């Protein structure tokens, strides 16, 4: 990777004194020099250590650096993880607060390094920048498709108003997990069951061309309908499943313990 002439200036400002003297730690990379990613990360790690040694918090340090060098967000965050591995969520939040546009790259590097914390990272990221929920869900599902159910559930729980947007992103990145994810969401969030079913209707009742993009299983629909009914969704609100061919009329009647006329 070739870098233009870059001077990394680390501004150390006293917390309670805006006019305090600013000191700098600088390194210059010539445009004719090939700088490896490890060199760039190492540079930021040195700067971060310098900040921490001066009693700056890791969150403030990350915010300062990304405010000045948002194009290097992934290197800054990666170096910050090395410096404070027990503050993963805090580092992600600080980076996004400093520059929301770096959300995708920050969540990407965080999940790549800490897949076991995927759901916590997703939840923190969505709470910090809900407007970037599509980016957050997209990269999380790409990195950890096996965690689709919990990723989507966290997203729906955090911001139910974004459910349709979440479903559209999930349909693209993890289409086989949509129904199971919504079923799990209904189980976990019974108070939102009616709203979730309404969103499902808006999402799935489209043109035939759109429907053909998804592999639908009637058994999954049956289980989802059962969970919806147990969470208080009325039969009337579920009749569209029969009308659209996702569920047999007899099955819906059986779920609601009703006899066919």
């Amino acid at each position: 990777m070739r870098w233009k002439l870059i001077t990394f200036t680390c501004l150390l400002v006293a917390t309670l004194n805006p006019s305090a003297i600013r000191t700098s730690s600088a390194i210059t990379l010539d445009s004719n020099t090939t700088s490896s990613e490890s060199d760039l990360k190492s540079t930021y790690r040195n700067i971060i250590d310098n900040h921490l040694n001066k009693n700056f918090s890791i969150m403030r340090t990350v915010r300062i650096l990304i405010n000045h060098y948002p194009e290097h967000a992934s290197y800054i965050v990666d170096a910050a993880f090395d410096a404070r591995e027990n503050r993963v969520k805090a580092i992600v939040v600080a980076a996004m607060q400093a520059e929301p546009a770096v959300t995708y790259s920050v969540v990407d590097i965080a999940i790549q390094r800490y897949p076991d914390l995927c759901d916590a990272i997703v939840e923190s990221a969505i709470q910090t920048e809900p407007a970037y929920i599509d980016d957050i869900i997209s990269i999380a599902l790409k990195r950890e498709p096996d965690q689709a159910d919990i990723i989507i559930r966290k997203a729906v729980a955090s911001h139910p108003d974004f459910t349709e947007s979440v479903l559209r992103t999930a349909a693209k990145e993890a289409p086989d997990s949509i129904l199971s994810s919504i079923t799990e969401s209904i189980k976990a969030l019974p108070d939102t069951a009616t709203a979730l079913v309404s969103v499902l209707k808006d999402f799935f009742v489209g043109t035939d061309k759109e429907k053909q993009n998804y592999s639908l299983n009637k058994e999954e629909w049956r289980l989802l309908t059962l969970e919806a009914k147990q969470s208080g969704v009325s039969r009337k609100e579920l009749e569209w499943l029969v009308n659209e061919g996702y569920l047999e009329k007899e099955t819906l009647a059986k779920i609601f313990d009703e006899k066919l006329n």
Side-chain angles (χ1 to χ4, degrees):
M1 182 180 297
R2 292 184 177 276
W3 300 95
K4 297 179 180 179
L5 185 62
I6 301 173
T7 300
F8 297 102
T9 304
C10 181
L11 302 178
L12 304 180
V13 186
T15 304
L16 300 178
N17 186 359
S19 61
I21 297 175
R22 299 182 179 187
T23 62
S24 66
S25 172
I27 181 171
T28 299
L29 302 177
D30 189 271
S31 59
N32 294 321
T33 302
T34 300
S35 175
S36 69
E37 294 183 359
S38 61
D39 288 341
L40 194 56
K41 176 182 171 182
S42 177
T43 296
Y44 279 116
R45 174 61 193 274
N46 291 335
I47 295 173
I48 289 170
D49 286 343
N50 190 357
H51 274 227
L52 297 179
N53 288 337
K54 294 178 184 295
N55 295 321
F56 276 59
S57 71
I58 189 63
M59 291 186 73
R60 188 181 178 200
T61 298
V62 168
R63 281 196 292 264
I64 289 173
L65 289 174
I66 291 183
N67 272 329
H68 285 83
Y69 311 108
E71 68 274 19
H72 294 159
S74 59
Y75 301 105
I76 294 168
V77 168
D78 202 15
F81 288 153
D82 287 345
R84 291 289 186 271
E85 200 161 18
N86 63 332
R87 301 299 308 282
V88 174
K89 291 192 295 182
I91 291 168
V92 169
V93 169
M96 292 171 60
Q97 288 175 336
E99 178 51 73
V102 306
T103 293
Y104 189 94
S105 59
V106 167
V107 173
D108 186 16
I109 191 68
I111 294 176
Q112 186 178 353
R113 285 198 54 168
Y114 304 101
D116 291 345
L117 296 178
C118 180
D119 62 320
I121 292 168
V122 166
E123 186 173 29
S124 296
I126 291 174
Q127 289 174 349
T128 304
E129 282 296 338
Y132 284 79
I133 193 169
D134 288 343
D135 284 345
I136 296 166
I137 297 301
S138 177
I139 192 58
L141 291 175
K142 285 179 180 176
R143 287 291 181 190
E144 295 296 319
D146 291 343
Q147 296 191 48
D149 284 358
I150 192 169
I151 290 169
I152 295 171
R153 187 168 75 248
K154 289 283 187 180
V156 171
S158 298
H159 289 277
D161 291 346
F162 287 87
T163 299
E164 186 170 358
S165 181
V166 170
L167 286 180
R168 294 194 181 283
T169 301
K172 180 180 178 182
E173 304 296 344
D176 293 337
S177 299
I178 294 177
L179 294 182
S180 61
S181 298
I182 292 299
T183 301
E184 291 301 316
S185 296
I186 289 174
K187 286 181 182 179
L189 307 163
D191 292 342
T192 67
T194 298
L196 288 175
V197 169
S198 179
V199 169
L200 270 181
K201 179 180 179 180
D202 291 340
F203 181 73
F204 281 99
V205 178
T207 65
D208 290 340
K209 183 177 180 181
E210 289 175 346
K211 293 177 187 177
Q212 291 173 2
N213 292 330
Y214 312 106
S215 176
L216 304 176
N217 183 302
K218 287 190 176 182
E219 175 60 16
E220 288 181 308
W221 280 116
R222 187 189 70 81
L223 293 174
L224 185 146
T225 303
L226 184 59
E227 289 297 335
K229 183 251 185 181
Q230 292 175 345
S231 296
V233 181
S234 70
R235 173 172 177 164
K236 184 176 181 180
E237 290 166 322
L238 292 165
E239 285 180 347
W240 64 272
L241 293 169
V242 174
N243 297 335
E244 294 298 320
Y246 298 138
L247 206 64
E248 299 297 335
K249 187 175 182 179
E250 293 81 359
T251 302
L252 184 62
K254 185 175 181 180
I255 288 173
F256 280 86
D257 297 320
E258 295 177 357
K259 294 182 179 180
L260 290 174
N261 293 329

